[in-house]
Amino acid sequence: MKHYDKLFINGEWVAPHGSGTTTVYNPATEEAFAEVCNADLDDVNSAFAAARAAFPAWSRTTAAERADYIRKLHAALEKRKDALALAISQSMGCPLEIAKIIQVNCVKAFEKFADRAHEMEVEKQVNNSLVVREPVGVCAFITPWNYPLYQLIGKVAPALATGCTMVLKPSSVTPLQDIIFAEAVAEIGLPKGVFNLITGRGGVLGDALVTHPEADMVSFTGSTATGRRIQQLAAESIKRVCLELGGKSPFIITEDAPLEQAVTFGVKDVMINTGQTCIALTRMLVPASRYEEATQIAKRVAESLKVGDPMDKDTFMGPMSSMGQRETVLKYIQKGLDEGAKLVTGGLERPEGLDRGAYVRPTIFRDVHNKMTIAQEEIFGPVICMIPYTNLAEAIAIANDSVYGLSSGVWAATKEEGIRIAREIRTGGCYVNGGDFNYDAPLGGYKQSGNGREWGDFGIHEFYEIKSMQL
Ligand code: NAP
């Protein structure tokens, strides 16, 4: 059992003022393997005081100076990639070999923000005005457990690039990669107070973080319910709020698409990371004429995926991130059955041979209507709803019939046709004909999936103010 009894505030590891600890469990074994200390409100105040004190000097550094720190931090993270993958795999169950790719490859994208720092020096003369960019200030960051390093980098890297300072609180399910990140920060000698890390429960610390008078901006990734509350609380002091929330993403497969390829892509897209991907394409929309064939392909693909020990090289799908998340997913599966959907594969039983751990079978429902709870609410588990449609207009209407608008997918006979359909779907992203995930593309949602964009060149826009000087 590892004990982490310090917070990282003002460039130092300090004992918390708060008492008590949060236990970190391995969801594959249900055993505790680490303990982190809990910050309290005094610790929150200390962290913001440090971030505020650091802001004047850090915000006046040149882009070249900030780029230099980002490159050094990137190198320090590269050295720690194995430790990061292990920490994530052990705390939330992503298979280790897959975690090295989908959880940790984002480290390479960190360095890109060194170049983006120079965007802050872009100035524009507009008639008699000089328009300049200035960092938004002190940021409060709250991240979830499903891609915990990716979400950290998506916030911290643009904040550093633009000259902001920050206080970060990771999910108490997965705090360890953040502690490793802070070790890297300490190693490279980032000016004290620029990056501050506190650990503890969101339910206890959340309000203080998002309403703190020293916080100029709040960036949150997590559930829509928590995001809604954060936006309401932050409204009191008109803070800038960036929200990356949930999704219920549709995947339209057209009549003339290569069905085997499209369905295989769709099933693996959801099952990877055990369905705990905010952009997962969980509503598979299939032409009625090809529905039977599609369900058979989906069944075969889902049943071919190895579910098991995250440390085993052959495992495709590990456990859910926690026993609590397993319970949530099982309740949704039961709800689907109660509402009349039929199982193609999977269901409520444990996967064979896995008598403990937060495991759920890869589950596919057929005969799903888009109004059913399982088609409207985010399950955040390895569950796909296969929904038949009769024509493309109906498919697009079903795709858009959601309170969410985070991501979507289309597989059509040609890329051009795929792009045409993608333009009709009200989501922040769309995967056309199996397109790859891209760290340089902006990510964010329409509707109740949030506001603002992270990653890529657009990812720094949330972090600066625009000033016009009339000359
Ligand atoms: P969550 O309950 O909203 O928790 C997310 C973060 O918020 C955690 O750090 C949590 O801390 C903290 N938190 C909890 N209560 C809070 C409060 N009252 N005030 C402030 N912070 C609070 O979400 P989750 O269930 O962990 O994460 C899964 C959700 O995130 C899914 O809905 C998923 O779609 C969404 N997500 C979205 C994106 C995206 O980019 N759009 C990416 C990933 C995940 P504790 O862990 O300590 O409670």
Side-chain angles (χ1 to χ4, degrees), residues 134-369:
E134 293 181 352
V136 68
V138 175
C139 305
F141 293 151
I142 302 175
T143 52
W145 40 259
N146 59 333
Y147 289 93
L149 180 67
Y150 167 83
Q151 282 129 3
L152 176 159
I153 290 179
K155 299 185 193 307
V156 173
L160 290 174
T162 49
C164 295
T165 60
M166 65 214 83
V167 175
L168 168 64
K169 192 208 86 68
S171 164
S172 41
V173 178
T174 51
L176 303 185
Q177 68 293 317
D178 290 53
I179 293 171
I180 296 170
F181 184 88
E183 285 165 3
V185 167
E187 179 183 288
I188 66 141
L190 189 72
K192 62 182 192 170
V194 171
F195 172 87
N196 304 277
L197 174 68
I198 56 170
T199 47
R201 299 266 173 204
V204 177
L205 301 174
D207 287 12
L209 279 162
V210 304
T211 60
H212 203 282
E214 294 296 356
D216 298 300
M217 176 203 188
V218 179
S219 178
F220 167 79
T221 301
S223 61
T224 295
T226 308
R228 183 176 293 115
R229 178 177 160 78
I230 286 175
Q231 182 142 5
Q232 282 164 351
L233 287 172
E236 197 58 40
S237 57
I238 320 291
K239 290 186 201 316
R240 183 177 297 183
V241 178
C242 182
L243 300 173
E244 300 292 344
L245 309 175
K248 191 75 197 177
S249 302
F251 176 33
I252 299 178
I253 300 175
T254 64
E255 184 93 43
D256 46 4
L259 197 64
E260 176 82 31
Q261 226 181 329
V263 173
T264 303
F265 167 83
V267 172
K268 289 188 174 171
D269 173 83
V270 173
M271 301 308 169
I272 200 148
N273 214 36
T274 321
Q276 302 161 118
T277 302
C278 50
I279 56 174
L281 304 172
T282 49
R283 289 185 294 146
M284 188 183 284
L285 277 49
V286 183
S289 60
R290 307 192 74 182
Y291 195 65
E292 293 308 320
E293 196 188 343
T295 53
Q296 287 314 307
I297 298 169
K299 176 179 166 68
R300 177 162 39 77
V301 175
E303 290 175 0
S304 73
L305 303 174
K306 183 161 190 268
V307 183
D309 181 357
M311 295 299 130
D312 183 338
K313 279 192 162 49
D314 298 328
T315 297
F316 183 85
M317 210 178 93
M320 304 301 307
S321 57
S322 65
M323 293 301 280
Q325 192 63 18
R326 177 175 187 271
E327 285 310 309
T328 303
V329 171
L330 292 181
K331 276 189 193 142
Y332 272 113
I333 295 175
Q334 184 61 57
K335 185 85 182 162
L337 294 169
D338 294 345
E339 290 186 351
K342 302 270 180 316
L343 284 171
V344 173
T345 186
L348 295 164
E349 298 79 30
R350 282 181 162 277
E352 222 169 291
L354 296 167
D355 299 332
R356 62 171 187 164
Y359 291 98
V360 174
R361 295 160 89 105
T363 296
I364 297 179
F365 277 113
R366 59 168 294 158
D367 300 347
V368 180
H369 189 282

Side-chain angles (χ1 to χ4, degrees), residues 101-120:
I101 302 163
I102 65 169
Q103 297 280 357
V104 176
N105 259 354
C106 58
V107 165
K108 74 176 179 215
F110 189 81
E111 197 180 19
K112 299 269 183 85
F113 285 89
D115 295 331
R116 293 184 183 121
H118 296 278
E119 233 195 274
M120 287 301 287

Side-chain angles (χ1 to χ4, degrees), residues 26-29 89-90 92-98 308-313 315 317-319 359:
N26 182 334
T29 61
S89 180
Q90 284 182 323
M92 56 73 69
C94 183
L96 183 61
E97 291 308 311
I98 293 178
D309 181 357
M311 295 299 130
D312 183 338
K313 279 192 162 49
T315 297
M317 210 178 93
Y359 291 98

Side-chain angles (χ1 to χ4, degrees), residues 247-252 265 269 278-283 399-400 404-411 418 421-435 444:
K248 191 75 197 177
S249 302
F251 176 33
I252 299 178
F265 167 83
D269 173 83
C278 50
I279 56 174
L281 304 172
T282 49
R283 289 185 294 146
N400 286 329
Y404 293 113
L406 185 57
S407 189
S408 59
V410 176
W411 205 306
I421 298 167
R423 288 184 195 277
E424 307 241 1
I425 308 176
R426 300 282 300 161
T427 54
C430 187
Y431 289 79
V432 177
N433 289 11

